[in-house]
Amino acid sequence: GSFGDNELSPECLLPISRWLRQGGVSIPCKYTSFAQPIASAKLWTDARRTAILGAPPGPPPALISPGAPPPAPGLETPFVVKLNNFTPLAPPLPCFTFIHPETSFPSSFDRRIRLCFPTNSQIDLVTHGLAGYFEATLYSDITISIHPDSHSPGMFSWFPLFFPFATPIYLNGDCGGEEKGQNSNNKFSSGHHLIVDLERCSDSTGSRIWYEWCVLEPTLLPIQNSNGRSSSMLL
């Protein structure tokens, strides 16, 4: 999948590992997901409006506090998208790695990571969500990737994943940004850096898997897609 594991490859390949002869090879044998903050007002607006056909637009891009009503379902849904009108704001960071064949036979493939993105910019920025990529090792030194720095030449079979934020996040530049961030009239959440918790979750039966994500800094926002309320993947 576009995020490595978003089409449930860990769960699908686990049963096969039980029947693989000792020394057998899995193709793929390893893959890692990556996330990167991006600016794309168009993607964010499309996500807010189009998750449920005919649903009214979600809340306006205003500050959302913990305990507020959940955002529009589209803002809690990862979308596979072809990134055109966007700007990357920091280098991609690794998220989840899976290795096959799996010999420990875990009860779940739940994962959680805290991503700390540097925003060393001289200008003010707005981020609308995370772009998700993957790198995979098929066998030996044979790899495929949609990571921007290692994208496989000519491969367009996979588009990136987009995790929209509940509200645009304002990131101050180094020049005069601190004063602007303290302006009470600023309608965006603001700060100098971006910290996001990203979690891969499953239910007690292991048959339903989903992602949850939460902006921690520069301001704390509610957990998005809590308990998979807006989007999930079924085995």
Side-chain angles (χ1 to χ4, degrees):
S2 299
F3 200 54
D5 59 88
N6 63 296
E7 294 184 3
L8 309 186
S9 55
E11 288 80 6
C12 292
L13 292 175
L14 180 62
I16 300 174
S17 300
R18 301 179 185 274
W19 306 105
L20 192 64
R21 180 180 299 179
Q22 186 173 2
V25 174
S26 172
I27 300 176
C29 61
K30 179 181 179 181
Y31 42 94
T32 300
S33 56
F34 294 82
Q36 174 185 46
I38 64 171
S40 179
K42 183 181 187 305
L43 271 181
W44 188 85
T45 301
D46 288 347
R48 183 165 63 102
R49 293 173 182 263
T50 61
I52 299 178
L53 188 63
L63 179 64
I64 297 177
S65 60
L75 297 178
E76 298 194 318
T77 301
F79 291 94
V80 176
V81 296
K82 184 176 182 180
L83 295 177
N84 286 320
N85 301 316
F86 82 105
T87 300
L89 302 180
L93 295 179
C95 299
F96 311 131
T97 296
F98 298 90
I99 298 175
H100 302 286
E102 176 60 66
T103 57
S104 61
F105 300 103
S107 58
S108 76
F109 288 99
D110 292 1
R111 299 283 193 276
R112 182 177 182 180
I113 191 168
R114 180 159 295 177
L115 301 166
C116 301
F117 296 101
T119 55
N120 300 321
S121 173
Q122 296 296 318
I123 61 174
D124 297 340
L125 306 170
V126 175
T127 178
H128 298 89
L130 301 177
Y133 314 101
F134 79 90
E135 289 181 343
T137 300
L138 301 180
Y139 175 75
S140 183
D141 60 347
I142 308 300
T143 63
I144 57 174
S145 171
I146 63 170
H147 188 293
D149 296 335
S150 58
H151 198 289
S152 300
M155 189 181 75
F156 52 86
S157 302
W158 285 275
F159 295 147
L161 208 65
F162 177 57
F163 294 92
F165 291 149
T167 184
I169 305 296
Y170 190 90
L171 302 170
N172 294 328
D174 292 335
C175 300
E178 207 161 320
E179 293 180 2
K180 185 177 289 186
Q182 294 173 354
N183 183 354
S184 61
N185 294 323
N186 180 15
K187 66 178 180 179
F188 295 117
S189 310
S190 61
H192 289 278
H193 53 275
L194 180 68
I195 300 179
V196 182
D197 269 1
L198 179 63
E199 188 167 3
R200 188 182 197 267
C201 310
S202 61
D203 64 7
S204 59
T205 66
S207 61
R208 191 170 71 94
I209 294 89
W210 66 92
Y211 297 109
E212 297 180 5
W213 59 101
C214 177
V215 176
L216 302 179
E217 294 186 20
T219 189
L220 178 63
L221 297 184
I223 296 173
Q224 293 182 240
N225 198 36
S226 178
N227 201 35
R229 63 190 172 195
S230 296
S231 62
S232 61
M233 302 163 283
L234 301 178
L235 276 175

